[in-house]
PDB file of all heavy atoms in Angstrom:
ATOM      1  N   GLY A 199       1.630 -10.586   1.018  1.00 87.00           N
ATOM      2  CA  GLY A 199       1.007 -10.179   2.269  1.00 87.00           C
ATOM      3  C   GLY A 199      -0.508 -10.195   2.200  1.00 87.00           C
ATOM      4  O   GLY A 199      -1.181 -10.734   3.093  1.00 87.00           O
ATOM      5  N   THR A 200      -1.067  -9.605   1.145  1.00 90.00           N
ATOM      6  CA  THR A 200      -2.523  -9.578   1.024  1.00 90.00           C
ATOM      7  C   THR A 200      -3.065 -10.982   0.784  1.00 90.00           C
ATOM      8  O   THR A 200      -4.135 -11.343   1.293  1.00 90.00           O
ATOM      9  CB  THR A 200      -2.960  -8.641  -0.113  1.00 90.00           C
ATOM     10  OG1 THR A 200      -2.348  -7.367   0.069  1.00 90.00           O
ATOM     11  CG2 THR A 200      -4.463  -8.457  -0.120  1.00 90.00           C
ATOM     12  N   TYR A 201      -2.333 -11.794   0.022  1.00 93.00           N
ATOM     13  CA  TYR A 201      -2.767 -13.170  -0.198  1.00 93.00           C
ATOM     14  C   TYR A 201      -2.877 -13.935   1.117  1.00 93.00           C
ATOM     15  O   TYR A 201      -3.882 -14.621   1.377  1.00 93.00           O
ATOM     16  CB  TYR A 201      -1.799 -13.890  -1.139  1.00 93.00           C
ATOM     17  CG  TYR A 201      -2.032 -15.389  -1.186  1.00 93.00           C
ATOM     18  CD1 TYR A 201      -3.212 -15.909  -1.703  1.00 93.00           C
ATOM     19  CD2 TYR A 201      -1.075 -16.269  -0.682  1.00 93.00           C
ATOM     20  CE1 TYR A 201      -3.442 -17.289  -1.730  1.00 93.00           C
ATOM     21  CE2 TYR A 201      -1.293 -17.644  -0.711  1.00 93.00           C
ATOM     22  CZ  TYR A 201      -2.472 -18.149  -1.236  1.00 93.00           C
ATOM     23  OH  TYR A 201      -2.701 -19.498  -1.248  1.00 93.00           O
ATOM     24  N   ILE A 202      -1.861 -13.798   1.972  1.00 90.00           N
ATOM     25  CA  ILE A 202      -1.889 -14.507   3.254  1.00 90.00           C
ATOM     26  C   ILE A 202      -3.076 -14.041   4.097  1.00 90.00           C
ATOM     27  O   ILE A 202      -3.768 -14.835   4.730  1.00 90.00           O
ATOM     28  CB  ILE A 202      -0.561 -14.315   4.010  1.00 90.00           C
ATOM     29  CG1 ILE A 202       0.570 -15.051   3.275  1.00 90.00           C
ATOM     30  CG2 ILE A 202      -0.669 -14.823   5.444  1.00 90.00           C
ATOM     31  CD1 ILE A 202       1.950 -14.782   3.831  1.00 90.00           C
ATOM     32  N   ALA A 203      -3.313 -12.729   4.088  1.00 87.00           N
ATOM     33  CA  ALA A 203      -4.417 -12.183   4.867  1.00 87.00           C
ATOM     34  C   ALA A 203      -5.775 -12.687   4.374  1.00 87.00           C
ATOM     35  O   ALA A 203      -6.718 -12.826   5.156  1.00 87.00           O
ATOM     36  CB  ALA A 203      -4.374 -10.659   4.831  1.00 87.00           C
ATOM     37  N   TYR A 204      -5.886 -12.977   3.072  1.00 93.00           N
ATOM     38  CA  TYR A 204      -7.158 -13.394   2.474  1.00 93.00           C
ATOM     39  C   TYR A 204      -7.231 -14.898   2.203  1.00 93.00           C
ATOM     40  O   TYR A 204      -8.273 -15.394   1.769  1.00 93.00           O
ATOM     41  CB  TYR A 204      -7.380 -12.656   1.143  1.00 93.00           C
ATOM     42  CG  TYR A 204      -8.002 -11.291   1.294  1.00 93.00           C
ATOM     43  CD1 TYR A 204      -7.273 -10.219   1.794  1.00 93.00           C
ATOM     44  CD2 TYR A 204      -9.329 -11.052   0.940  1.00 93.00           C
ATOM     45  CE1 TYR A 204      -7.829  -8.963   1.938  1.00 93.00           C
ATOM     46  CE2 TYR A 204      -9.908  -9.799   1.076  1.00 93.00           C
ATOM     47  CZ  TYR A 204      -9.143  -8.758   1.574  1.00 93.00           C
ATOM     48  OH  TYR A 204      -9.707  -7.509   1.727  1.00 93.00           O
ATOM     49  N   LYS A 205      -6.156 -15.617   2.453  1.00 92.00           N
ATOM     50  CA  LYS A 205      -6.048 -17.010   2.000  1.00 92.00           C
ATOM     51  C   LYS A 205      -7.205 -17.892   2.472  1.00 92.00           C
ATOM     52  O   LYS A 205      -7.677 -18.762   1.728  1.00 92.00           O
ATOM     53  CB  LYS A 205      -4.719 -17.601   2.461  1.00 92.00           C
ATOM     54  CG  LYS A 205      -4.443 -18.983   1.905  1.00 92.00           C
ATOM     55  CD  LYS A 205      -2.988 -19.371   2.060  1.00 92.00           C
ATOM     56  CE  LYS A 205      -2.588 -19.541   3.497  1.00 92.00           C
ATOM     57  NZ  LYS A 205      -1.238 -20.148   3.619  1.00 92.00           N
ATOM     58  N   ALA A 206      -7.671 -17.672   3.681  1.00 92.00           N
ATOM     59  CA  ALA A 206      -8.744 -18.511   4.211  1.00 92.00           C
ATOM     60  C   ALA A 206     -10.043 -18.348   3.431  1.00 92.00           C
ATOM     61  O   ALA A 206     -10.914 -19.225   3.466  1.00 92.00           O
ATOM     62  CB  ALA A 206      -8.982 -18.188   5.691  1.00 92.00           C
ATOM     63  N   LYS A 207     -10.185 -17.240   2.698  1.00 94.00           N
ATOM     64  CA  LYS A 207     -11.403 -16.976   1.931  1.00 94.00           C
ATOM     65  C   LYS A 207     -11.286 -17.441   0.479  1.00 94.00           C
ATOM     66  O   LYS A 207     -12.249 -17.318  -0.284  1.00 94.00           O
ATOM     67  CB  LYS A 207     -11.705 -15.471   1.918  1.00 94.00           C
ATOM     68  CG  LYS A 207     -11.825 -14.834   3.287  1.00 94.00           C
ATOM     69  CD  LYS A 207     -12.002 -13.327   3.148  1.00 94.00           C
ATOM     70  CE  LYS A 207     -12.034 -12.638   4.498  1.00 94.00           C
ATOM     71  NZ  LYS A 207     -12.170 -11.161   4.362  1.00 94.00           N
ATOM     72  N   LEU A 208     -10.096 -17.935   0.084  1.00 96.00           N
ATOM     73  CA  LEU A 208      -9.834 -18.190  -1.331  1.00 96.00           C
ATOM     74  C   LEU A 208      -9.695 -19.668  -1.651  1.00 96.00           C
ATOM     75  O   LEU A 208      -9.206 -20.458  -0.842  1.00 96.00           O
ATOM     76  CB  LEU A 208      -8.544 -17.468  -1.756  1.00 96.00           C
ATOM     77  CG  LEU A 208      -8.487 -15.957  -1.525  1.00 96.00           C
ATOM     78  CD1 LEU A 208      -7.103 -15.426  -1.890  1.00 96.00           C
ATOM     79  CD2 LEU A 208      -9.561 -15.245  -2.332  1.00 96.00           C
ATOM     80  N   ASN A 209     -10.079 -20.014  -2.870  1.00 96.00           N
ATOM     81  CA  ASN A 209      -9.878 -21.348  -3.403  1.00 96.00           C
ATOM     82  C   ASN A 209      -8.892 -21.263  -4.569  1.00 96.00           C
ATOM     83  O   ASN A 209      -9.127 -21.786  -5.653  1.00 96.00           O
ATOM     84  CB  ASN A 209     -11.217 -21.935  -3.865  1.00 96.00           C
ATOM     85  CG  ASN A 209     -11.145 -23.430  -4.137  1.00 96.00           C
ATOM     86  OD1 ASN A 209     -10.321 -24.136  -3.573  1.00 96.00           O
ATOM     87  ND2 ASN A 209     -12.001 -23.903  -5.020  1.00 96.00           N
ATOM     88  N   LEU A 210      -7.788 -20.560  -4.317  1.00 96.00           N
ATOM     89  CA  LEU A 210      -6.725 -20.365  -5.302  1.00 96.00           C
ATOM     90  C   LEU A 210      -5.403 -20.833  -4.703  1.00 96.00           C
ATOM     91  O   LEU A 210      -5.178 -20.694  -3.499  1.00 96.00           O
ATOM     92  CB  LEU A 210      -6.597 -18.881  -5.686  1.00 96.00           C
ATOM     93  CG  LEU A 210      -7.812 -18.206  -6.332  1.00 96.00           C
ATOM     94  CD1 LEU A 210      -7.577 -16.702  -6.442  1.00 96.00           C
ATOM     95  CD2 LEU A 210      -8.088 -18.799  -7.713  1.00 96.00           C
ATOM     96  N   ASN A 211      -4.531 -21.353  -5.540  1.00 94.00           N
ATOM     97  CA  ASN A 211      -3.216 -21.816  -5.094  1.00 94.00           C
ATOM     98  C   ASN A 211      -2.114 -20.941  -5.687  1.00 94.00           C
ATOM     99  O   ASN A 211      -2.324 -20.247  -6.688  1.00 94.00           O
ATOM    100  CB  ASN A 211      -2.976 -23.264  -5.545  1.00 94.00           C
ATOM    101  CG  ASN A 211      -3.902 -24.239  -4.843  1.00 94.00           C
ATOM    102  OD1 ASN A 211      -4.245 -24.055  -3.679  1.00 94.00           O
ATOM    103  ND2 ASN A 211      -4.312 -25.278  -5.570  1.00 94.00           N
ATOM    104  N   ILE A 212      -0.934 -21.021  -5.086  1.00 95.00           N
ATOM    105  CA  ILE A 212       0.229 -20.325  -5.649  1.00 95.00           C
ATOM    106  C   ILE A 212       0.708 -21.107  -6.866  1.00 95.00           C
ATOM    107  O   ILE A 212       1.005 -22.297  -6.777  1.00 95.00           O
ATOM    108  CB  ILE A 212       1.363 -20.193  -4.621  1.00 95.00           C
ATOM    109  CG1 ILE A 212       0.908 -19.306  -3.451  1.00 95.00           C
ATOM    110  CG2 ILE A 212       2.610 -19.606  -5.286  1.00 95.00           C
ATOM    111  CD1 ILE A 212       1.938 -19.175  -2.343  1.00 95.00           C
ATOM    112  N   SER A 213       0.758 -20.420  -7.997  1.00 94.00           N
ATOM    113  CA  SER A 213       1.193 -21.049  -9.242  1.00 94.00           C
ATOM    114  C   SER A 213       2.674 -20.810  -9.489  1.00 94.00           C
ATOM    115  O   SER A 213       3.404 -21.701  -9.916  1.00 94.00           O
ATOM    116  CB  SER A 213       0.384 -20.501 -10.418  1.00 94.00           C
ATOM    117  OG  SER A 213       0.840 -21.038 -11.639  1.00 94.00           O
ATOM    118  N   PHE A 214       3.114 -19.561  -9.237  1.00 93.00           N
ATOM    119  CA  PHE A 214       4.516 -19.235  -9.475  1.00 93.00           C
ATOM    120  C   PHE A 214       4.976 -18.233  -8.435  1.00 93.00           C
ATOM    121  O   PHE A 214       4.250 -17.304  -8.082  1.00 93.00           O
ATOM    122  CB  PHE A 214       4.726 -18.667 -10.887  1.00 93.00           C
ATOM    123  CG  PHE A 214       6.168 -18.655 -11.305  1.00 93.00           C
ATOM    124  CD1 PHE A 214       6.728 -19.746 -11.931  1.00 93.00           C
ATOM    125  CD2 PHE A 214       6.977 -17.567 -11.017  1.00 93.00           C
ATOM    126  CE1 PHE A 214       8.072 -19.755 -12.291  1.00 93.00           C
ATOM    127  CE2 PHE A 214       8.318 -17.561 -11.366  1.00 93.00           C
ATOM    128  CZ  PHE A 214       8.871 -18.665 -12.012  1.00 93.00           C
ATOM    129  N   GLU A 215       6.206 -18.414  -7.954  1.00 93.00           N
ATOM    130  CA  GLU A 215       6.776 -17.521  -6.958  1.00 93.00           C
ATOM    131  C   GLU A 215       8.291 -17.559  -7.049  1.00 93.00           C
ATOM    132  O   GLU A 215       8.878 -18.454  -7.642  1.00 93.00           O
ATOM    133  CB  GLU A 215       6.339 -17.936  -5.546  1.00 93.00           C
ATOM    134  CG  GLU A 215       6.782 -19.335  -5.154  1.00 93.00           C
ATOM    135  CD  GLU A 215       6.232 -19.784  -3.808  1.00 93.00           C
ATOM    136  OE1 GLU A 215       6.062 -18.930  -2.919  1.00 93.00           O
ATOM    137  OE2 GLU A 215       5.986 -21.000  -3.651  1.00 93.00           O
ATOM    138  N   GLY A 216       8.927 -16.527  -6.472  1.00 89.00           N
ATOM    139  CA  GLY A 216      10.380 -16.502  -6.387  1.00 89.00           C
ATOM    140  C   GLY A 216      11.056 -15.768  -7.532  1.00 89.00           C
ATOM    141  O   GLY A 216      10.465 -15.544  -8.595  1.00 89.00           O
ATOM    142  N   GLY A 217      12.281 -15.342  -7.279  1.00 87.00           N
ATOM    143  CA  GLY A 217      13.072 -14.672  -8.299  1.00 87.00           C
ATOM    144  C   GLY A 217      13.035 -13.156  -8.172  1.00 87.00           C
ATOM    145  O   GLY A 217      12.087 -12.576  -7.630  1.00 87.00           O
ATOM    146  N   ALA A 218      14.068 -12.522  -8.685  1.00 88.00           N
ATOM    147  CA  ALA A 218      14.200 -11.068  -8.581  1.00 88.00           C
ATOM    148  C   ALA A 218      13.058 -10.332  -9.270  1.00 88.00           C
ATOM    149  O   ALA A 218      12.677  -9.227  -8.853  1.00 88.00           O
ATOM    150  CB  ALA A 218      15.543 -10.636  -9.176  1.00 88.00           C
ATOM    151  N   ALA A 219      12.500 -10.922 -10.322  1.00 91.00           N
ATOM    152  CA  ALA A 219      11.435 -10.250 -11.076  1.00 91.00           C
ATOM    153  C   ALA A 219      10.178 -10.046 -10.239  1.00 91.00           C
ATOM    154  O   ALA A 219       9.339  -9.207 -10.563  1.00 91.00           O
ATOM    155  CB  ALA A 219      11.091 -11.045 -12.326  1.00 91.00           C
ATOM    156  N   LEU A 220      10.033 -10.798  -9.152  1.00 94.00           N
ATOM    157  CA  LEU A 220       8.841 -10.704  -8.315  1.00 94.00           C
ATOM    158  C   LEU A 220       9.116 -10.049  -6.963  1.00 94.00           C
ATOM    159  O   LEU A 220       8.263 -10.096  -6.067  1.00 94.00           O
ATOM    160  CB  LEU A 220       8.222 -12.094  -8.116  1.00 94.00           C
ATOM    161  CG  LEU A 220       7.605 -12.707  -9.381  1.00 94.00           C
ATOM    162  CD1 LEU A 220       7.083 -14.113  -9.092  1.00 94.00           C
ATOM    163  CD2 LEU A 220       6.479 -11.840  -9.916  1.00 94.00           C
ATOM    164  N   ALA A 221      10.274  -9.436  -6.814  1.00 92.00           N
ATOM    165  CA  ALA A 221      10.581  -8.716  -5.570  1.00 92.00           C
ATOM    166  C   ALA A 221       9.634  -7.528  -5.415  1.00 92.00           C
ATOM    167  O   ALA A 221       9.229  -6.904  -6.404  1.00 92.00           O
ATOM    168  CB  ALA A 221      12.026  -8.242  -5.585  1.00 92.00           C
ATOM    169  N   ASN A 222       9.293  -7.199  -4.175  1.00 92.00           N
ATOM    170  CA  ASN A 222       8.293  -6.159  -3.911  1.00 92.00           C
ATOM    171  C   ASN A 222       8.746  -5.264  -2.742  1.00 92.00           C
ATOM    172  O   ASN A 222       8.267  -5.414  -1.614  1.00 92.00           O
ATOM    173  CB  ASN A 222       6.941  -6.817  -3.595  1.00 92.00           C
ATOM    174  CG  ASN A 222       5.827  -5.803  -3.437  1.00 92.00           C
ATOM    175  OD1 ASN A 222       5.875  -4.704  -3.973  1.00 92.00           O
ATOM    176  ND2 ASN A 222       4.801  -6.183  -2.683  1.00 92.00           N
ATOM    177  N   PRO A 223       9.664  -4.311  -3.016  1.00 94.00           N
ATOM    178  CA  PRO A 223      10.159  -3.443  -1.944  1.00 94.00           C
ATOM    179  C   PRO A 223       9.250  -2.238  -1.709  1.00 94.00           C
ATOM    180  O   PRO A 223       8.648  -1.711  -2.644  1.00 94.00           O
ATOM    181  CB  PRO A 223      11.517  -2.991  -2.490  1.00 94.00           C
ATOM    182  CG  PRO A 223      11.333  -2.985  -3.981  1.00 94.00           C
ATOM    183  CD  PRO A 223      10.376  -4.111  -4.286  1.00 94.00           C
ATOM    184  N   TYR A 224       9.169  -1.807  -0.459  1.00 96.00           N
ATOM    185  CA  TYR A 224       8.364  -0.644  -0.068  1.00 96.00           C
ATOM    186  C   TYR A 224       9.265   0.487   0.406  1.00 96.00           C
ATOM    187  O   TYR A 224      10.236   0.247   1.136  1.00 96.00           O
ATOM    188  CB  TYR A 224       7.412  -1.009   1.070  1.00 96.00           C
ATOM    189  CG  TYR A 224       6.279  -1.914   0.674  1.00 96.00           C
ATOM    190  CD1 TYR A 224       6.484  -3.283   0.464  1.00 96.00           C
ATOM    191  CD2 TYR A 224       4.993  -1.422   0.510  1.00 96.00           C
ATOM    192  CE1 TYR A 224       5.444  -4.123   0.118  1.00 96.00           C
ATOM    193  CE2 TYR A 224       3.942  -2.261   0.147  1.00 96.00           C
ATOM    194  CZ  TYR A 224       4.178  -3.608  -0.045  1.00 96.00           C
ATOM    195  OH  TYR A 224       3.146  -4.436  -0.406  1.00 96.00           O
ATOM    196  N   GLN A 225       8.916   1.714   0.004  1.00 97.00           N
ATOM    197  CA  GLN A 225       9.642   2.899   0.447  1.00 97.00           C
ATOM    198  C   GLN A 225       8.686   3.897   1.079  1.00 97.00           C
ATOM    199  O   GLN A 225       7.526   4.004   0.677  1.00 97.00           O
ATOM    200  CB  GLN A 225      10.323   3.608  -0.739  1.00 97.00           C
ATOM    201  CG  GLN A 225      11.537   2.924  -1.294  1.00 97.00           C
ATOM    202  CD  GLN A 225      12.335   3.858  -2.193  1.00 97.00           C
ATOM    203  OE1 GLN A 225      13.406   4.309  -1.829  1.00 97.00           O
ATOM    204  NE2 GLN A 225      11.803   4.161  -3.364  1.00 97.00           N
ATOM    205  N   ILE A 226       9.201   4.668   2.047  1.00 98.00           N
ATOM    206  CA  ILE A 226       8.468   5.808   2.572  1.00 98.00           C
ATOM    207  C   ILE A 226       9.212   7.061   2.137  1.00 98.00           C
ATOM    208  O   ILE A 226      10.450   7.100   2.163  1.00 98.00           O
ATOM    209  CB  ILE A 226       8.317   5.745   4.108  1.00 98.00           C
ATOM    210  CG1 ILE A 226       7.347   6.833   4.587  1.00 98.00           C
ATOM    211  CG2 ILE A 226       9.655   5.820   4.834  1.00 98.00           C
ATOM    212  CD1 ILE A 226       6.884   6.646   6.023  1.00 98.00           C
ATOM    213  N   MET A 227       8.487   8.077   1.678  1.00 98.00           N
ATOM    214  CA  MET A 227       9.102   9.298   1.150  1.00 98.00           C
ATOM    215  C   MET A 227       8.410  10.529   1.710  1.00 98.00           C
ATOM    216  O   MET A 227       7.176  10.565   1.825  1.00 98.00           O
ATOM    217  CB  MET A 227       9.014   9.318  -0.387  1.00 98.00           C
ATOM    218  CG  MET A 227       9.800   8.206  -1.057  1.00 98.00           C
ATOM    219  SD  MET A 227       9.532   8.177  -2.858  1.00 98.00           S
ATOM    220  CE  MET A 227       7.843   7.559  -2.919  1.00 98.00           C
ATOM    221  N   LEU A 228       9.206  11.534   2.036  1.00 98.00           N
ATOM    222  CA  LEU A 228       8.672  12.816   2.472  1.00 98.00           C
ATOM    223  C   LEU A 228       8.330  13.664   1.260  1.00 98.00           C
ATOM    224  O   LEU A 228       8.854  13.447   0.163  1.00 98.00           O
ATOM    225  CB  LEU A 228       9.693  13.544   3.342  1.00 98.00           C
ATOM    226  CG  LEU A 228      10.219  12.785   4.563  1.00 98.00           C
ATOM    227  CD1 LEU A 228      11.243  13.641   5.313  1.00 98.00           C
ATOM    228  CD2 LEU A 228       9.084  12.364   5.476  1.00 98.00           C
ATOM    229  N   ILE A 229       7.459  14.637   1.452  1.00 98.00           N
ATOM    230  CA  ILE A 229       7.094  15.572   0.392  1.00 98.00           C
ATOM    231  C   ILE A 229       8.019  16.782   0.477  1.00 98.00           C
ATOM    232  O   ILE A 229       8.290  17.296   1.565  1.00 98.00           O
ATOM    233  CB  ILE A 229       5.626  16.034   0.513  1.00 98.00           C
ATOM    234  CG1 ILE A 229       4.699  14.829   0.768  1.00 98.00           C
ATOM    235  CG2 ILE A 229       5.204  16.788  -0.739  1.00 98.00           C
ATOM    236  CD1 ILE A 229       4.750  13.750  -0.272  1.00 98.00           C
ATOM    237  N   ASN A 230       8.514  17.226  -0.655  1.00 98.00           N
ATOM    238  CA  ASN A 230       9.471  18.334  -0.699  1.00 98.00           C
ATOM    239  C   ASN A 230       8.836  19.616  -0.141  1.00 98.00           C
ATOM    240  O   ASN A 230       7.868  20.128  -0.704  1.00 98.00           O
ATOM    241  CB  ASN A 230       9.909  18.551  -2.149  1.00 98.00           C
ATOM    242  CG  ASN A 230      11.066  19.523  -2.266  1.00 98.00           C
ATOM    243  OD1 ASN A 230      11.411  20.223  -1.315  1.00 98.00           O
ATOM    244  ND2 ASN A 230      11.670  19.569  -3.437  1.00 98.00           N
ATOM    245  N   PRO A 231       9.376  20.157   0.966  1.00 98.00           N
ATOM    246  CA  PRO A 231       8.796  21.385   1.536  1.00 98.00           C
ATOM    247  C   PRO A 231       8.927  22.591   0.615  1.00 98.00           C
ATOM    248  O   PRO A 231       8.182  23.566   0.750  1.00 98.00           O
ATOM    249  CB  PRO A 231       9.576  21.582   2.838  1.00 98.00           C
ATOM    250  CG  PRO A 231      10.837  20.809   2.657  1.00 98.00           C
ATOM    251  CD  PRO A 231      10.489  19.650   1.772  1.00 98.00           C
ATOM    252  N   ALA A 232       9.872  22.543  -0.325  1.00 97.00           N
ATOM    253  CA  ALA A 232       9.996  23.644  -1.284  1.00 97.00           C
ATOM    254  C   ALA A 232       8.783  23.700  -2.213  1.00 97.00           C
ATOM    255  O   ALA A 232       8.430  24.766  -2.733  1.00 97.00           O
ATOM    256  CB  ALA A 232      11.280  23.482  -2.099  1.00 97.00           C
ATOM    257  N   LYS A 233       8.152  22.547  -2.427  1.00 97.00           N
ATOM    258  CA  LYS A 233       6.950  22.483  -3.267  1.00 97.00           C
ATOM    259  C   LYS A 233       5.703  22.865  -2.470  1.00 97.00           C
ATOM    260  O   LYS A 233       4.846  23.608  -2.952  1.00 97.00           O
ATOM    261  CB  LYS A 233       6.775  21.063  -3.825  1.00 97.00           C
ATOM    262  CG  LYS A 233       7.845  20.622  -4.811  1.00 97.00           C
ATOM    263  CD  LYS A 233       7.553  21.154  -6.199  1.00 97.00           C
ATOM    264  CE  LYS A 233       8.502  20.515  -7.221  1.00 97.00           C
ATOM    265  NZ  LYS A 233       8.269  21.053  -8.579  1.00 97.00           N
TER     266      LYS A 233
END
Side-chain angles (χ1 to χ4, degrees):
T200 308
Y201 168 65
I202 291 172
Y204 275 73
K205 187 164 67 170
K207 304 175 184 178
L208 304 175
N209 193 26
L210 299 171
N211 293 326
I212 296 177
S213 177
F214 195 89
E215 61 185 327
L220 292 177
N222 185 25
Y224 289 76
Q225 286 195 108
I226 189 166
M227 296 174 288
L228 305 179
I229 314 302
N230 189 347
K233 293 278 189 182

